[in-house]
């Protein structure tokens, strides 16, 4: 059985509706999702370890999770509306304590952003394409919503990757987009 790791977006959790819907509609795969640490200094090493330990065959990430997925060059990955510049989203990434869209697996509902966390995002963003090369760029697919008014990094993504596609929708995917766009792409990739 193939393993798909789903990486959630900012303020979300492993209990996201997307993770649950993917698991429900892709019963032939083991769909798993971690709760990503909020600080990228912790998050990227955590995700790399999680994917290695769980023998990921495919990584699907949305928004912030898409940005992390893009950097996991050892794996086939689908990046949906990747938020390549979290630190520039000043109306989203700001200092304070905030409520998650849904609790984490261990019931945590709040998370805190500090100036240090924002600085860590800035530092990571300066190096996020460092490990991309001709060998691993073919393992990455970018999907971009035509109605995404929150994050639009398609042009920058396309400077590094050739497999770029549009879909009709908004920044946060609905079940129809997952069913009609993301799942068929995931199945094609897993069959290659």
């Amino acid at each position: 059985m193939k393993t798909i790791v789903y990486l959630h977006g900012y303020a979300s959790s492993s209990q996201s509706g997307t993770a649950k819907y993917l698991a429900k509609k892709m019963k032939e795969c083991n769909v798993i999702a971690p709760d990503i640490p909020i600080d990228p200094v912790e998050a990227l090493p955590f995700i790399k370890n999680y994917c290695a330990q769980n023998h990921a065959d495919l990584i699907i990430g949305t928004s912030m999770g898409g940005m992390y997925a893009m950097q996991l060059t050892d794996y086939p990955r689908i990046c949906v509306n990747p938020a390549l510049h979290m630190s520039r989203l000043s109306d989203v990434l700001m200092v304070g304590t905030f409520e998650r869209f849904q609790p984490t697996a261990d019931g945590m509902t709040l998370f805190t952003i500090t100036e240090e966390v924002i600085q860590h995002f800035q530092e990571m963003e300066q190096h996020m394409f460092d490990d991309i090369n001709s060998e691993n760029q073919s393992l990455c697919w970018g999907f971009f919503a035509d109605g995404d008014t929150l994050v639009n990094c398609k042009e920058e993504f396309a400077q590094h990757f050739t497999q770029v596609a549009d879909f009709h929708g908004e920044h946060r995917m609905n079940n129809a987009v997952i069913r009609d766009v993301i799942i068929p792409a995931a199945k094609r990739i897993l069959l290659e």
Side-chain angles (χ1 to χ4, degrees), residues 14-31:
S14 62
Q15 306 304 304
S16 79
T18 301
K20 291 177 179 178
Y21 191 77
L22 282 169
K24 177 181 171 185
K25 293 295 183 181
M26 297 193 73
K27 291 185 184 341
E28 70 278 15
C29 295
N30 178 29
V31 179

Side-chain angles (χ1 to χ4, degrees), residues 159-183:
Q159 291 172 10
H160 301 274
F161 301 98
T162 58
Q163 299 173 117
V164 179
D166 296 312
F167 66 90
H168 182 65
E170 299 177 6
H171 185 71
R172 294 185 74 183
M173 291 186 299
N174 60 32
N175 287 349
V177 169
I178 299 168
R179 181 191 67 230
D180 299 338
V181 178
I182 305 307
I183 290 175

Side-chain angles (χ1 to χ4, degrees), residues 51-188:
C51 291
Q53 284 184 341
N54 288 286
H55 308 287
D57 294 294
L58 174 64
I59 298 165
I60 300 173
T62 55
S63 192
M64 180 187 73
M67 176 267 301
Y68 284 129
M70 183 195 75
Q71 297 178 70
L72 301 174
T73 57
D74 293 337
Y75 302 92
R77 56 224 187 268
I78 294 174
C79 307
V80 183
N81 297 323
L84 302 181
H85 297 286
M86 289 292 300
S87 67
R88 296 183 196 167
L89 299 174
S90 57
D91 56 338
V92 174
L93 188 68
M94 61 184 90
V95 173
T97 299
F98 305 95
E99 192 165 343
R100 293 181 182 274
F101 294 126
Q102 60 284 120
T104 61
D106 60 2
M108 300 296 292
T109 58
L110 301 176
F111 65 98
T112 300
I113 299 295
T114 63
E115 289 287 353
E116 185 179 44
V117 168
I118 296 171
Q119 180 182 344
H120 289 161
F121 272 105
Q122 290 169 341
E123 292 166 0
M124 181 193 62
E125 290 161 8
Q126 294 172 15
H127 300 285
M128 70 179 130
F129 294 107
D130 287 359
D131 294 331
I132 306 301
N133 59 44
S134 58
E135 289 179 29
N136 62 45
Q137 70 182 178
S138 65
L139 295 174
C140 191
W141 289 260
F143 288 85
F144 295 86
D146 58 8
D148 187 346
T149 57
L150 181 63
V151 175
N152 189 341
C153 300
K154 178 182 173 183
E155 286 184 25
E156 184 177 9
F157 187 93
Q159 291 172 10
H160 301 274
F161 301 98
T162 58
Q163 299 173 117
V164 179
D166 296 312
F167 66 90
H168 182 65
E170 299 177 6
H171 185 71
R172 294 185 74 183
M173 291 186 299
N174 60 32
N175 287 349
V177 169
I178 299 168
R179 181 191 67 230
D180 299 338
V181 178
I182 305 307
I183 290 175
K187 288 182 176 180
R188 276 194 312 272

